[in-house]
Amino acid sequence: MEVTQLLLNAQSIDGSVRKQAEDSLKQFQEQNLPAFLFSLSGELANEDKPADSRKLAGLILKNALDAKEQHRKFELVQRWLMLDATVKSQIKSCLLKTLSSPVPDARSTAAQVVAKVAGIELPQKQWPELIGSLLSNVHQLPPHVKQATLETLGYLCEEVSPDAVDQDNVNKILTVVVQGMSSSEGNNDVRLAAIRALYNALGFAQANFSNDMERDYIMRVVCEAALSKEEKIRLAAFECLVSIASMYYEKLTPYMNDIFTITAKAVREDVESVALQAIEFWSSICDEEIDILEEYAGEFTGDSDVQCSYFVKQALNVLVPILLETLLKQEEDQDQDEGAWNIAMAGGTCLGLVARTVGDDIVPLVMPFIEENITKPDWRQREAATYAFGSILEGPSPDKLTPIVNVALNFMLSALTKDPNTHVKDTTAWTLGRIFEFLHGSTMDAPIITPANCQQIVTVLLQSMTDVPNVAGKACGALYFLAQGYEDVGPSSPLTPYFQEIVQALLTVTHREDAGEGRLRTAAYETLNEVVRCSTEETATLVLQLVPVIMLELHNTLEGQKLSSDEREKQGELHGLLCGCLQVIIQKLGASDQTKYGFMQFADQIMGLFLRVFACKSATVHEEAMLAIGSLAYACGPEFAKYMPEFYKYLEMGLQNFEEYQVCSVTVGVVGDICRALENKVLPYCDGIMTQLLKDLSSNQLHRSVKPPIFSCLGDIALAIGQDFEKYLMYAMPMLQSAAELSAHTAGADDEMIEYTNSLRNGILEAYSGILQGFKNSTKTQLLIPYAPHILQFLDSIYVEKDMDDLVMRTAIGVLGDLADTLGSNAGTMIQNSVSSRDFLNECLSSEDGSIKESAEWTKLAITRAISA
Amino acid sequence: MAPPDFRRPFKRAAVSDQQRRRELTLERQAQSRHDAQQRVRNLASTIISLQSQEPDDADVVLEPYLEESEAPPKELDIRRASRMRGEQVRNWFARQLMLPEWMIDIPDNLSQDWYVFARPAGKRCFVVASNGTTVSRQRNGSILHCFPSALPNGAKTREPSGPAHSYSILDCIFHEGDQTYYVIDMVCWGGCSYYDCPADFRFYWLNSKLEESGASGPPSYYHKYRFSAVTHEKGLPAAYTDATPYVKDGLLFYNKHAHYQSGNTPLALVWKDVKCSQYVLDTDSTGQVPDQQQVVLELQEDGNLITSDDPPIIFARLNSEFIQQLGLHSGNFVRCAINDGGLSFVEGKLEKADLKYIGKCSRGRAFADSYSKVVFQHMARHSPLTYDDLLVAANKAPSDVEMAG
């Protein structure tokens, strides 16, 4: 059967026809990949073929070049690069030819595939003529081809990293794109394609944004497009402005007056999609200024790379009224819709960011709006006033807000019970939560919650929990922060008298028939967790009594009836909530020896329940149950050994879970807990665990964030089993060494990369620490001597690099001591001869960080002993 | 219309509770890891500190040349320490044991906050089990026994009974009569340090660990002496009157919340009377109770005679002529008798002691008497603290309010 028919059949509504076609395509691909790809490109380019088969041909081609998962993507890239050059060149010429097709779908699909190929080839310095040929065509072609070419350039900028394109080509691309955007371009499709292309090309424009003339030109064209009559063009232009706000904040000063006028007009008058982007522009400016000001306030005062231009402060008097107006444009029932996003929500969000940016200055601008509207008969006005109040509670100083809150609190409490409108009640409960979140806690000078009003607050919140689900959920949220404020209140909490009542009310909420609506059940359990976490010794027995209650809940959900997949998903969620709650309780009770013993009577049963939760999910393990088991192992100590035979397979499953890397990560942490609990009793399981961990480390499928904890975990194992770690040394050490070499230098990395590198270093160093300490006082310390020079070299190189964070510093100086402590005189000489050990030690000894200093002092002793031995 | 992905969901908290749970767990794990590392390191450094008594400045650390003569023994670790001889080890062990003060007044909340138990008569010692051997050392550092035991790593059996490098340290009294080590406290077990745990926790673990290890079982080839935990929590009347498998030597009072602290501590107290101890009044070098109370004090550079307390209490002062004449040096322990003038106190503080020099103590002596011992002995001779006094305090409900008029 020819490929056209296969491609059409693959879109048939008849399942069996579709299946057969898909199988045939797959077979074709497996038998002869080059021929398969070539015939797809031929199909896409052929004007005689139906649009549907051409489009699918293009999509299959695209999927043959890229995938979401990193490892798969890597394979596909390698596969394409290995392909015969002649075939590739034929495919590419088909693709370029398709860009001039009169069929829009064919053009657009071809544009995407060209960009994918470019994404693979340009970094390899292949296909050098591509950009030139796209650019040379753009002037002389009919509009639809010009549009497709600009679209291709846009996708190309999205796919390819800026350093794979030389500045000369970047200049040419931007010239073509910006010309296409200008108001002189008569064809709206071309103009829209150009603006969308610019959106992707902004990352390439560093040099051009540093050139005043070029930047002026780009900004002028973007602002013009933002005033276009065509809605799609305005929207695309505002999206560019949002992106420019965060990418080129420091270059914006000359344009802010114009942008302010344009955005203000859009917020007030434009259609919602455009207005939302106009608000988002200001939200992004706030984000930037919050970051800059935070850095100003940080340790390196005034040393920020970017200067704050105080755009928000300057625009404040005009910006705030515009945002307040948006608050009155609520939609009916917006609180029932989880995914809702409208201009009132965006406006309130922006107002909150403005408050965080300017602090106290916003308060006098918002108070009149609140006072005027809060008692109006129209619910929209009351809701808007309340929302405005709630939005500005983070940012201004407690000194400024506390007097206002003291006046408002009673009003809010009464509105929560008496207001006839649920929107108002929803926002009121949320606002109370914000009050407790930001103005209540041990760090506040003037408490807003006093013995006089505490009872009333609790009563009102508990009563609200019987309201409609969205209001009840917000009331739970408010209680969450009420409890959190008493986190470090000391031995006696003002919530103690209400503890039982609160717990009971929350459990009742979880049993409401409508608890599945919104996030009500989740909110109730989360609040229960926080109430437990922040409870004091006074209520320890009540927390203990909660254990069998939650266990029973979990037990009941495990009683097997056949479930639909939808029900199974809900059940999985509920398991998560209950395991999460048990985890919090275990961690609470396990933290003190007095409470731990009471709890231990339940350990067997709880573990049994967790194992049943795992058994419910056939292929994977439950992250929440895994977290809870970690806490249980911590609480049980060596006793945990008896659960290992049954639990081990789930542990292994968790370590194999590459797709849900959070599960893998949590499981790695649990291995550490178990090692500390069991010590050398973990030995029988170590072969399996080590195999899995080493596999994880060498996999490129696993999310990179899991690797640092895996290294730390190697240290946990070594510390637990001591010299029995010997048999793993020959595998673990080379891996540590090569990871150490990779993480030694950070030249040219961005902040995020430096942060990751530091977490990697910390993991590697913790592994070294655990191994060295594990071997201490054994007869096999000499096995480690060959590795010592490399460890010292690693310490030298990260010291010289001068970019380690405090945690790495503490771990690193400890490793120096561990070397001396375990290897004695063998290490002494090496340390004396190392490049920077002395400087590093002296620097740590005079550190202001107590824990670094403490480690350093210990290291000093260990070295003294080693060199004098 | 959907909100931008990176914006906080409408009316939602910045951090989800699940995220908070994850973070708190990671925090706990990082802390436990750090603690575990510190534990291993710190156990070593109590040994290391042996040689580093002299404060040295940071710059010295990496100097390549250290004077040979000052070089301490190689590879000094706990096992070496337990076999070391000489003054160093004596000092070390003297510094590690928790030494109860003598009870000179009754602590508040005796019934609530304090354990009381009958102290076995015998030799107070530290028992260290590691690497297949068990060594017991007396308070002055001399080895009492070196033997196999069922403590973790306490004997060279075929199957290791704990991590190879781990060791255990128990605070014991060896009772000659039934050849038993009565364990009064646990400092380390199987490599875990319990220094920083309150007494009630240590005692709880002590009982269960001892049971678990088989060390409380009868002697055998791999287990030469029985270890028996004293009963810590029977209350005052039982501790005083009940029969014990051992000969009693007074009562020990341990504060339930106190950590194991080396040296003299007011959170552990010893009390004796003639009914529960054969050794109420101190004997002299011939084993006789002297007519006059005798005290042992340490001579300082400036001629002051001080107790072993930290800070020390000055009892008297010898003039330099006298010191020279007797051939005494600073650091010597001297024995004195308390003359008829006795001890006089003002507002609970020693004001004056009427002392008479008797002589220098033998070299085996590791410390001077503590202030509380001297005062207890003095009271025992003149106006003792009686069992009835204790009983009254023990029966007093903790909430009783003392009327001060």
Side-chain angles (χ1 to χ4, degrees):
Chain A
M1 201 185 285
E2 62 156 342
V3 75
T4 308
Q5 197 54 49
L6 282 177
L7 290 166
L8 291 175
N9 286 355
Q11 300 172 71
S12 164
I13 37 170
D14 182 337
S16 65
V17 173
R18 203 166 61 231
K19 173 88 170 55
Q20 205 179 10
E22 282 166 357
D23 289 348
S24 303
L25 285 169
K26 201 173 163 204
Q27 206 183 356
F28 185 4
Q29 173 168 10
E30 279 162 8
Q31 276 167 359
N32 191 342
L33 182 72
F36 176 67
L37 296 179
F38 178 60
S39 88
L40 289 175
S41 68
E43 182 80 13
L44 178 62
N46 192 334
E47 298 299 338
D48 300 331
K49 299 291 184 183
D52 282 347
S53 73
R54 295 176 70 181
K55 190 180 172 185
L56 184 59
L59 288 177
I60 295 176
L61 204 49
K62 191 178 117 186
N63 290 339
L65 296 167
D66 196 9
K68 264 195 191 138
E69 307 85 38
Q70 277 300 310
H71 67 106
R72 177 81 185 134
K73 181 177 179 141
F74 182 74
E75 283 167 22
L76 294 175
V77 167
Q78 293 308 310
R79 194 176 75 174
W80 174 263
L81 290 171
M82 304 289 282
L83 219 57
D84 176 64
T86 325
V87 178
K88 281 194 286 195
S89 123
Q90 285 168 332
I91 293 174
K92 287 189 282 192
S93 86
C94 284
L95 291 172
L96 289 179
K97 187 179 152 215
T98 316
L99 292 180
S100 28
S101 166
V103 180
D105 271 352
R107 287 200 306 270
S108 181
T109 314
Q112 294 173 45
V113 184
V114 169
K116 292 288 178 201
V117 177
I120 296 173
E121 296 202 344
L122 295 191
Q124 308 285 329
K125 305 273 177 240
Q126 297 176 13
W127 212 2
E129 70 280 11
L130 169 67
I131 292 176
S133 73
L134 287 172
L135 292 171
S136 70
N137 286 340
V138 103
H139 297 294
Q140 37 190 304
L141 294 167
H144 73 270
V145 185
K146 200 171 176 180
Q147 174 261 330
T149 307
L150 285 165
E151 197 179 342
T152 310
L153 287 170
Y155 289 136
L156 187 145
C157 290
E158 196 180 3
E159 289 297 328
V160 182
S161 100
D163 47 346
V165 182
D166 62 49
Q167 186 60 40
D168 188 39
N169 274 334
V170 168
N171 292 340
K172 286 178 184 160
I173 292 173
L174 282 166
T175 308
V176 175
V177 167
V178 177
Q179 276 171 8
M181 286 173 67
S182 86
S183 50
S184 61
E185 171 58 57
N187 183 302
N188 277 340
D189 290 338
V190 172
R191 207 173 164 200
L192 184 60
I195 300 175
R196 288 181 178 163
L198 178 70
Y199 181 84
N200 287 324
L202 281 170
F204 286 71
Q206 294 289 350
N208 314 81
F209 262 84
S210 301
N211 177 317
D212 292 351
M213 243 171 57
E214 295 182 24
R215 185 182 61 239
D216 284 351
Y217 184 58
I218 297 172
M219 291 304 294
R220 201 187 81 212
V221 175
V222 175
C223 289
E224 273 173 20
L227 295 166
S228 162
K229 288 201 176 65
E230 198 65 31
E231 183 190 326
K232 281 184 182 165
I233 291 180
R234 290 201 305 278
L235 180 60
F238 271 105
E239 282 170 353
C240 281
L241 280 177
V242 170
S243 188
I244 289 169
S246 39
M247 251 186 260
Y248 298 106
Y249 169 85
E250 72 274 22
K251 309 273 189 213
L252 282 179
T253 309
Y255 318 106
M256 280 310 277
N257 278 333
D258 287 343
I259 297 178
F260 183 81
T261 314
I262 298 170
T263 48
K265 186 171 147 60
V267 174
R268 288 196 160 120
E269 297 166 18
D270 215 324
V271 295
E272 187 165 46
S273 60
V274 179
L276 285 174
Q277 287 303 321
I279 295 174
E280 185 59 31
F281 172 84
W282 284 100
S283 292
S284 300
I285 293 287
C286 290
D287 286 342
E288 292 306 309
E289 296 197 342
I290 290 169
D291 281 355
I292 297 169
L293 295 172
E294 239 168 45
E295 223 164 289
Y296 277 175
E299 275 177 71
F300 312 100
T301 32
D303 217 19
S304 174
D305 292 342
V306 181
Q307 291 293 314
C308 187
S309 306
Y310 298 101
F311 294 137
V312 179
K313 202 180 167 91
Q314 290 173 45
L316 199 62
N317 290 326
V318 204
L319 182 61
V320 169
I322 296 172
L323 293 173
L324 290 174
E325 276 172 42
T326 66
L327 301 186
L328 293 158
K329 299 183 181 171
Q330 309 94 324
E331 290 174 309
E332 295 278 355
D333 297 334
Q334 64 178 22
D335 290 318
Q336 261 91 55
D337 179 4
E338 268 295 288
W341 187 246
N342 57 39
I343 192 163
M345 293 171 161
T349 302
C350 188
L351 190 67
L353 290 167
V354 171
R356 287 176 54 199
T357 312
V358 302
D360 287 358
D361 291 350
I362 200 169
V363 177
L365 295 174
V366 174
M367 284 315 292
F369 177 84
I370 298 171
E371 282 158 6
E372 189 191 327
N373 289 292
I374 197 110
T375 52
K376 283 279 159 52
D378 181 358
W379 72 264
R380 286 174 191 277
Q381 287 173 288
R382 298 197 305 280
E383 198 277 341
T386 316
Y387 190 33
F389 187 44
S391 297
I392 62 164
L393 289 167
E394 184 184 9
S397 64
D399 287 348
K400 188 89 182 171
L401 290 174
T402 304
I404 303 172
V405 166
N406 280 331
V407 176
L409 194 57
N410 259 328
F411 184 90
M412 295 278 154
L413 291 171
S414 126
L416 185 53
T417 45
K418 299 202 183 89
D419 199 288
N421 182 280
T422 58
H423 288 288
V424 177
K425 285 198 277 188
D426 184 292
T427 303
T428 304
W430 171 76
T431 300
L432 283 168
R434 300 261 297 177
I435 289 175
F436 302 148
E437 182 176 3
F438 299 110
L439 297 169
H440 156 59
S442 58
T443 55
M444 297 294 148
D445 293 334
I448 51 159
I449 301 172
T450 60
N453 63 12
C454 188
Q455 171 157 28
Q456 188 201 359
I457 291 170
V458 172
T459 308
V460 167
L461 291 179
L462 296 194
Q463 189 189 333
S464 258
M465 283 187 218
T466 59
D467 210 318
V468 293
N470 57 305
V471 175
K474 301 295 190 303
C476 290
L479 191 56
Y480 185 102
F481 288 111
L482 180 69
Q484 190 170 82
Y486 292 122
E487 194 171 15
D488 32 30
V489 67
S492 178
S493 166
L495 287 188
T496 296
Y498 317 110
F499 186 87
Q500 200 143 19
E501 202 185 340
I502 289 172
V503 168
Q504 200 47 55
L506 288 166
L507 289 172
T508 309
V509 171
T510 66
H511 292 138
R512 280 172 60 151
E513 272 184 25
D514 55 4
E517 282 178 36
R519 304 174 62 257
L520 181 55
R521 183 176 286 120
T522 307
Y525 276 117
E526 289 183 345
T527 302
L528 184 57
N529 293 345
E530 192 65 7
V531 168
V532 168
R533 266 193 292 256
C534 302
S535 64
T536 63
E537 264 178 43
E538 302 167 304
T539 40
T541 47
L542 296 176
V543 174
L544 189 60
Q545 285 166 18
L546 199 52
V547 178
V549 175
I550 303 294
M551 280 170 59
L552 185 64
E553 299 272 338
L554 186 53
H555 172 83
N556 289 340
T557 66
L558 286 163
E559 284 306 286
Q561 60 276 59
K562 288 252 182 229
L563 297 172
S564 68
S565 70
D566 190 36
E567 286 169 322
R568 202 171 312 128
E569 194 186 318
K570 285 205 177 112
Q571 191 204 36
E573 254 178 63
L574 189 52
H575 287 164
L577 292 171
L578 290 164
C579 290
C581 185
L582 282 172
Q583 192 233 335
V584 170
I585 297 175
I586 296 169
Q587 193 145 326
K588 182 79 190 176
L589 296 175
S592 119
D593 295 317
Q594 281 171 323
T595 49
K596 190 157 77 179
Y597 300 116
F599 161 76
M600 289 313 289
Q601 58 180 311
F602 300 112
D604 287 359
Q605 283 170 285
I606 288 189
M607 191 63 196
L609 287 170
F610 291 154
L611 291 171
R612 284 174 66 195
V613 170
F614 283 139
C616 279
K617 284 187 149 190
S618 49
T620 170
V621 295
H622 208 296
E623 183 191 348
E624 294 285 354
M626 193 54 90
L627 270 175
I629 285 177
S631 302
L632 189 65
Y634 174 73
C636 286
E639 296 288 300
F640 191 82
K642 62 181 170 185
Y643 307 126
M644 281 304 283
E646 245 191 299
F647 170 58
Y648 177 71
K649 67 175 169 186
Y650 299 113
L651 195 69
E652 203 166 59
M653 251 189 228
L655 294 176
Q656 284 163 346
N657 196 338
F658 290 172
E659 289 79 37
E660 299 163 273
Y661 70 90
Q662 291 277 21
V663 173
C664 188
S665 179
V666 162
T667 312
V668 170
V670 170
V671 172
D673 281 328
I674 290 175
C675 286
R676 282 182 291 275
L678 301 193
E679 297 198 329
N680 67 333
K681 282 188 199 158
V682 78
L683 190 57
Y685 305 97
C686 283
D687 281 357
I689 291 172
M690 281 299 293
T691 308
Q692 213 46 61
L693 291 177
L694 294 173
K695 261 195 215 165
D696 286 354
L697 281 177
S698 45
S699 156
N700 49 21
Q701 289 180 45
L702 186 62
H703 195 274
R704 68 174 192 176
S705 69
V706 191
K707 300 205 171 173
I710 292 180
F711 283 122
S712 308
C713 185
L714 296 182
D716 297 339
I717 293 173
L719 199 58
I721 64 174
Q723 63 178 5
D724 287 319
F725 197 78
E726 178 187 355
K727 56 180 166 174
Y728 309 124
L729 277 180
M730 61 179 293
Y731 307 104
M733 283 309 210
M735 277 202 184
L736 283 165
Q737 256 178 36
S738 61
E741 274 157 27
L742 283 175
S743 75
H745 305 290
T746 53
D750 56 13
D751 288 358
E752 194 190 343
M753 191 60 199
I754 291 177
E755 199 185 325
Y756 175 72
T757 304
N758 270 323
S759 70
L760 203 56
R761 288 169 176 173
N762 192 57
I764 294 165
L765 290 165
E766 286 187 330
Y768 282 142
S769 233
I771 293 169
L772 285 164
Q773 287 169 7
F775 273 75
K776 183 160 70 180
N777 295 341
S778 81
T779 52
K780 295 183 174 166
T781 49
Q782 83 284 353
L783 291 174
L784 299 179
I785 294 173
Y787 303 108
H790 185 275
I791 297 175
L792 277 168
Q793 231 172 50
F794 180 48
L795 293 174
D796 275 340
S797 58
I798 58 175
Y799 175 70
V800 171
E801 203 79 357
K802 294 282 176 215
D803 59 0
M804 58 179 142
D805 58 27
D806 282 356
L807 188 59
V808 173
M809 198 166 196
R810 184 182 84 181
T811 319
I813 198 62
V815 169
L816 190 64
D818 295 330
L819 270 173
D821 194 29
T822 296
L823 301 182
S825 59
N826 292 308
T829 326
M830 285 190 249
I831 291 171
Q832 280 171 267
N833 294 334
S834 76
V835 184
S836 54
S837 295
R838 177 204 290 249
D839 294 339
F840 184 29
L841 182 61
N842 284 333
E843 194 176 316
C844 292
L845 282 168
S846 52
S847 169
E848 281 173 20
D849 181 314
S851 71
I852 292 178
K853 205 169 165 202
E854 189 191 351
S855 289
E857 279 165 358
W858 176 79
T859 294
K860 190 179 100 169
L861 277 172
I863 294 176
T864 310
R865 180 173 76 135
I867 58 178
S868 58
Chain B
M1 212 159 293
D5 290 342
F6 54 88
R7 292 262 166 255
R8 191 192 296 186
F10 184 59
K11 291 188 193 169
R12 202 77 75 67
V15 181
S16 77
D17 191 72
Q18 186 182 30
Q19 190 53 33
R20 194 161 143 78
R21 272 203 301 286
R22 278 195 202 116
E23 279 164 14
L24 287 171
T25 301
L26 288 177
E27 234 170 70
R28 172 181 60 71
Q29 287 168 341
Q31 187 60 48
S32 315
R33 177 177 295 128
H34 184 64
D35 290 349
Q37 287 167 348
Q38 286 308 108
R39 197 153 55 215
V40 179
R41 287 174 181 165
N42 286 341
L43 279 175
S45 57
T46 48
I47 314 298
I48 292 171
S49 63
L50 247 178
Q51 320 131 47
S52 322
Q53 291 157 8
E54 257 48 76
D56 46 358
D57 49 4
D59 289 332
V60 179
V61 176
L62 296 175
E63 286 301 331
Y65 302 110
L66 259 167
E67 278 186 51
E68 287 294 322
S69 59
E70 282 183 11
K74 281 187 181 182
E75 298 273 327
L76 198 56
D77 61 22
I78 181 72
R79 289 161 305 175
R80 298 283 300 217
S82 61
R83 290 182 206 126
M84 273 186 321
R85 294 188 176 281
E87 201 173 323
Q88 267 192 331
V89 77
R90 200 157 58 222
N91 286 338
W92 187 72
F93 276 94
R95 281 213 309 275
Q96 302 304 314
L97 271 171
M98 176 154 87
L99 304 172
E101 285 192 10
W102 291 69
M103 188 185 283
I104 51 182
D105 56 32
I106 301 172
D108 295 331
N109 279 341
L110 191 68
S111 63
Q112 280 270 303
D113 291 339
W114 294 75
Y115 287 122
V116 53
F117 54 93
R119 182 192 186 281
K123 299 186 174 95
R124 174 89 184 278
C125 52
F126 244 171
V127 175
V128 179
S130 73
N131 203 32
T133 328
T134 307
V135 178
S136 56
R137 278 182 181 275
Q138 299 184 64
R139 207 178 134 185
N140 64 6
S142 62
I143 292 181
L144 181 64
H145 299 122
C146 191
F147 60 100
S149 77
L151 298 173
N153 275 330
K156 288 189 171 59
T157 53
R158 218 162 287 153
E159 303 203 359
S161 50
H165 56 277
S166 79
Y167 47 84
S168 307
I169 303 176
L170 299 176
D171 186 348
C172 301
I173 291 172
F174 183 69
H175 187 253
E176 287 286 350
D178 57 4
Q179 294 286 295
T180 297
Y181 280 95
Y182 284 97
V183 189
I184 56 176
D185 211 333
M186 174 169 73
V187 183
C188 296
W189 185 275
C192 278
S193 156
Y194 294 88
Y195 280 98
D196 298 334
C197 305
D200 50 2
F201 179 70
R202 294 198 306 274
F203 294 165
Y204 174 89
W205 276 105
L206 167 60
N207 282 302
S208 63
K209 293 289 168 189
L210 221 49
E211 199 64 46
E212 210 173 87
S213 66
S216 50
S220 66
Y221 181 73
Y222 283 124
H223 182 54
K224 196 168 172 197
Y225 298 101
R226 181 200 290 270
F227 284 80
S228 190
V230 298
T231 313
H232 289 107
E233 37 218 318
K234 273 166 67 178
L236 179 64
Y240 188 70
T241 47
D242 281 8
T244 46
Y246 48 82
V247 178
K248 287 184 200 175
D249 180 17
L251 300 180
L252 282 170
F253 293 81
Y254 271 55
N255 186 292
K256 291 180 183 176
H257 312 294
H259 291 185
Y260 194 94
Q261 180 192 336
S262 42
N264 290 323
T265 170
L267 295 175
L269 299 168
V270 60
W271 173 91
K272 297 176 180 185
D273 71 6
V274 286
K275 181 155 182 272
C276 70
S277 172
Q278 301 171 314
Y279 316 99
V280 180
L281 295 184
D282 226 356
T283 53
D284 64 14
S285 51
T286 63
Q288 302 297 314
V289 176
D291 293 332
Q292 288 181 313
Q293 179 185 351
Q294 297 188 357
V295 296
V296 174
L297 297 167
E298 185 181 343
L299 176 65
Q300 281 194 305
E301 194 80 272
D302 55 11
N304 282 340
L305 290 174
I306 58 164
T307 62
S308 62
D309 303 275
D310 183 21
I313 309 286
I314 301 166
F315 261 72
R317 189 185 165 86
L318 298 182
N319 65 44
S320 51
E321 223 180 280
F322 190 58
I323 294 170
Q324 218 164 16
Q325 194 185 333
L326 294 167
L328 295 172
H329 301 286
S330 117
N332 280 161
F333 296 108
V334 299
R335 189 179 290 276
C336 302
I338 298 181
N339 275 335
D340 299 340
L343 304 175
S344 31
F345 299 88
V346 171
E347 289 178 6
K349 282 197 176 137
L350 179 74
E351 199 206 31
K352 189 167 150 272
D354 182 9
L355 296 183
K356 183 175 78 188
Y357 177 77
I358 298 179
K360 220 165 113 178
C361 293
S362 71
R363 286 175 55 109
R365 189 86 192 188
F367 2 55
D369 287 341
S370 66
Y371 173 77
S372 65
K373 177 182 173 183
V374 177
V375 175
F376 184 90
Q377 289 286 326
H378 190 257
M379 284 164 71
R381 285 169 182 259
H382 302 100
S383 58
L385 200 59
T386 65
Y387 174 68
D388 289 337
D389 297 336
L390 290 175
L391 204 56
V392 170
N395 289 334
K396 192 169 76 175
S399 57
D400 278 1
V401 178
E402 293 259 6
M403 292 297 157

